[in-house]
Amino acid sequence: MKTVHLRFLLCLGSLVFNTYAARCQAVQTDRIPSLKTVFQDDFLIGTCLNTSQIAGKDSAESNLIERQFNAITPENIMKAHILHPAWNRFDFELADKLVAYAAKHRLKVNGHTLIWHSQLPDYIRQINDVDSVRQYFVNHIETVASRYDGLIESWDVVNEALNEDGTLRNSIFLEKLGKNYIIEAFRLAQKAAPNTKLYYNDYNIEQPQKRAGAISLIKSIQAAGVRIDGVGIQGHWRADDVPMEDIEESIKEFSALGIEVMFTELDLSVLPNPWDSNIADIGRKAAYRAEMDPYPGGLPDSIQHVQALAYESLFQLFIKYRDSISRITFWGVSDGQSWLNNWPVRGRTNYPLLFDRQFKPKAAFYRVIAAGSVN
Ligand code: G3I
């Protein structure tokens, strides 16, 4: 009898404790500082979102998104293969939902992306004649950009059009439409979306050679009398090797062109790189090897610390140039969402963002908040 009584008390105790712990955790997530509030006088704080997130499938994640961010970029929903799946057919269902979600939660949307050599609809690969490529190009930009004009804040009009040496990347657009296709894309977007900001977006454009290519590209758009409002430096870097000096120089040089500077896809990888460069070209992949996936069970404190310090230094720099920078967007809400779990090696466990797989703030989050709290 006594044992049964004791067991009952233990069970009751553990139930009360677990409920209390769960509530504490929820309260804790609600009570952590808010990035968008801490940086409200500096720049927008964004994240990319995908379909399940705009459907609000996970309430803890939804709360986090609403509390921490004031800008979103669709991770995939506004790419051409989803928006324009057949030659004569557009599918706006998901994009419209994303725009409605943003309106409901007062989030500014950066459309991503009108013209990109990657993730194109399959039928494009079958087209060979110049006229058809031009027809696709004009129709896509006019239809999509005009539909969301006034509803979204901005477009990445052209994405990743440069090689590492600053020359134009070979693509179906360069091949068929010639080197002025980027100016033409901005011209068409300007006409179709007069109320939407227009950006060029790329990775590694903080690097000197590629940066020089981006600067001459932007100047050529401006010289043609076409509007370009900003440049997005993607920011896919390694936590132990963030190119701080190049980033600072880039902020200075790009803002000297009279346009906004943004960091649009920020994440800091902690995993080994199979190559010796940081090229975020999703066409490049490497095979899985256990030594390439060293932290499947959790990130050691020493690496957390390195990452936290790297994020802190970055945000101190962003604060220094807050007058030139209009938005910092993380490429994902939490570590579990990150594309870096599957690139360049599929099936690894990476930890590149500020929130962990349970949506709890990491050391890096608190360092970023600290960087924002001193100004
Ligand atoms: O939706 C399908 C699913 O049905 C299928 O079972 C699965 C099998 O692989 O694939 C799913 O599609 C994947 C999609 O992400 C949604 O998860 C694609 O394979 C995968 O290629 C795609 O990757 C995206 C990638 O761009 C290519 O579009 C990443 O999520 C996205 O983070 C990444 O984002 C890019 C930026 O747009 C541009 N800058 C670089 C950045 C990182 O690569």
Side-chain angles (χ1 to χ4, degrees), residues 43-349:
F43 27 69
L44 295 169
I45 297 286
T47 179
C48 72
L49 294 184
N50 57 45
T51 312
S52 66
Q53 291 165 314
I54 60 169
K57 290 215 164 128
D58 186 307
S59 61
E61 188 177 26
S62 296
N63 289 339
L64 195 64
I65 294 166
E66 285 165 38
R67 216 178 125 63
Q68 297 293 336
F69 303 102
N70 48 21
I72 58 171
T73 300
E75 182 168 10
N76 292 304
I77 287 171
M78 285 185 166
K79 289 175 181 171
H81 69 303
I82 295 180
L83 277 186
H84 197 167
W87 179 257
N88 275 326
R89 186 167 64 84
F90 287 87
D91 182 348
F92 294 116
E93 191 186 338
L94 287 175
D96 286 356
K97 280 188 182 155
L98 179 118
V99 169
Y101 172 91
K104 183 170 168 202
H105 298 291
R106 280 178 287 160
L107 298 155
K108 291 193 182 319
V109 177
N110 175 54
H112 175 79
T113 169
L114 290 172
I115 296 298
W116 186 24
H117 66 278
S118 187
Q119 310 300 299
L120 282 167
D122 286 343
Y123 57 83
I124 298 290
R125 313 265 169 222
Q126 266 99 67
I127 299 175
N128 256 322
D129 62 297
V130 170
D131 285 348
S132 299
V133 174
R134 188 177 306 285
Q135 204 183 323
Y136 162 84
F137 184 83
V138 172
N139 184 23
H140 186 78
I141 296 175
E142 283 180 347
T143 308
V144 176
S146 62
R147 182 179 183 93
Y148 295 109
D149 191 38
L151 298 175
I152 69 173
E153 176 78 2
S154 53
W155 271 110
D156 292 334
V157 177
V158 178
N159 191 46
E160 301 175 4
L162 293 166
N163 292 314
E164 296 309 293
D165 65 1
T167 56
L168 286 181
R169 179 197 285 270
N170 197 14
S171 71
I172 187 163
F173 303 117
L174 180 64
E175 203 183 301
K176 303 290 184 202
L177 307 180
K179 64 180 175 43
N180 284 339
Y181 84 90
I182 299 172
I183 297 175
E184 284 317 306
F186 276 84
R187 199 192 303 278
L188 288 163
Q190 173 176 3
K191 188 150 177 264
N195 305 299
T196 309
K197 290 183 171 175
L198 308 178
Y199 302 145
Y200 176 71
N201 192 54
D202 209 334
Y203 58 81
N204 283 0
I205 47 171
E206 75 284 354
Q207 293 302 315
Q209 268 194 308
K210 200 166 180 180
R211 186 201 314 153
I215 288 172
S216 83
L217 179 65
I218 292 164
K219 283 185 171 168
S220 72
I221 298 169
Q222 293 174 325
V226 175
R227 177 164 64 88
I228 173 166
D229 300 294
V231 60
I233 301 168
Q234 292 187 3
H236 298 296
W237 295 306
R238 293 170 50 91
D240 61 357
D241 190 20
V242 180
M244 296 294 291
E245 285 173 18
D246 293 323
I247 297 169
E248 179 159 11
E249 197 49 39
S250 301
I251 299 170
K252 289 187 199 163
E253 291 183 19
F254 284 128
S255 60
L257 300 172
I259 56 173
E260 296 169 34
V261 179
M262 286 149 288
F263 292 84
T264 52
E265 303 185 12
L266 182 59
D267 47 27
L268 299 186
S269 173
V270 295
L271 295 186
N273 186 346
W275 312 296
D276 52 5
S277 68
N278 255 342
I279 300 174
D281 187 338
I282 53 165
R284 291 181 90 201
K285 298 206 169 109
Y288 184 92
R289 284 179 287 135
E291 64 268 30
M292 284 287 146
D293 188 21
Y295 318 119
L299 191 61
D301 286 348
S302 57
I303 314 284
Q304 291 264 18
H305 187 61
V306 168
Q307 184 187 50
L309 293 183
Y311 264 117
E312 182 177 34
S313 305
L314 257 180
F315 272 77
Q316 285 166 341
L317 184 68
F318 295 158
I319 288 288
K320 182 173 169 192
Y321 291 96
R322 46 183 269 189
D323 292 341
S324 306
I325 297 174
S326 56
R327 171 166 53 90
I328 310 291
T329 291
F330 293 89
W331 207 238
V333 174
S334 71
D335 287 340
Q337 177 188 346
S338 174
W339 72 294
L340 290 170
N341 294 305
N342 289 308
W343 186 91
V345 178
R346 220 174 164 69
R348 296 197 297 179
T349 307

